[in-house]
Amino acid sequence: MRIKNIAIAICGAITLTTVGSAWLSLSSSLAVRDTAKEVLTAAHQRLALYDATINLSLERSLTQVGLNLPGAMPAPLRELLTKQRTRSDAVFTTLMTELEAADTAQKDAFLKEVRTGLEEIQRLRVQSDSGLAVAAAVSGLRAKGGR
């Protein structure tokens, strides 16, 4: 073999090794980038869930206060509860939009669980509103001279 052919073979081997290494490095970097995107998405979703939970907790506190009052819930407190429910709904709507737009593993199962939780919240709101209405009716009867 000639020196020229050996040099070409060595250069070809070095080129293939360089291209192969670059390909491995690029694919590894892309995998790291994809993982970083997933972590960022998960962190953003966690913050959104945290905000939604805080708003829901404030709503629950107002509801609990109203249910524990000896009479009807005062109008300003009821108005505050209504505003807080509106805020909670808005935060959950934003959260659901973000969750639906995200491209994450187990997305469908997670969305199903969140929807089930939101349905339960609506059911509990109906129950608590019934309790608040009873308290208001009892308070009205007392005011009219009933027991």
Side-chain angles (χ1 to χ4, degrees):
M1 237 191 199
R2 294 169 132 197
I3 293 182
K4 179 179 175 184
N5 290 341
I6 293 173
I8 291 174
I10 291 173
C11 286
I14 291 172
T15 301
L16 286 175
T17 302
T18 303
V19 169
S21 295
W23 176 254
L24 289 175
S25 178
L26 177 63
S27 63
S28 175
S29 295
L30 291 174
V32 168
R33 184 198 66 178
D34 290 344
T35 301
K37 279 183 176 180
E38 288 177 14
V39 168
L40 182 62
T41 299
H44 184 71
Q45 289 174 351
R46 185 174 181 179
L47 285 174
L49 281 167
Y50 178 77
D51 288 343
T53 302
I54 293 297
N55 277 285
L56 190 61
S57 178
L58 293 171
E59 176 187 335
R60 185 207 50 83
S61 295
L62 289 168
T63 302
Q64 184 176 357
V65 167
L67 290 171
N68 288 323
L69 289 173
M73 186 178 215
L77 189 58
R78 182 62 195 194
E79 185 178 316
L80 190 58
L81 175 59
T82 301
K83 286 180 182 178
Q84 187 57 44
R85 281 185 178 177
T86 302
R87 267 190 230 119
S88 293
D89 287 342
V91 170
F92 273 109
T93 298
T94 301
L95 172 66
M96 289 303 290
T97 301
E98 290 177 10
L99 291 175
E100 288 168 353
D103 184 27
T104 57
Q106 306 288 328
K107 172 179 145 178
D108 293 334
F110 186 62
L111 280 170
K112 183 179 178 184
E113 287 184 40
V114 173
R115 284 189 186 106
T116 301
L118 290 174
E119 289 168 3
E120 181 67 14
I121 289 168
Q122 291 303 324
R123 188 186 67 71
L124 290 170
R125 282 178 176 174
V126 169
Q127 274 185 324
S128 65
D129 285 346
S130 295
L132 292 171
V134 168
V138 169
S139 177
L141 286 175
R142 286 185 185 148
K144 291 180 182 178
R147 289 177 153 214

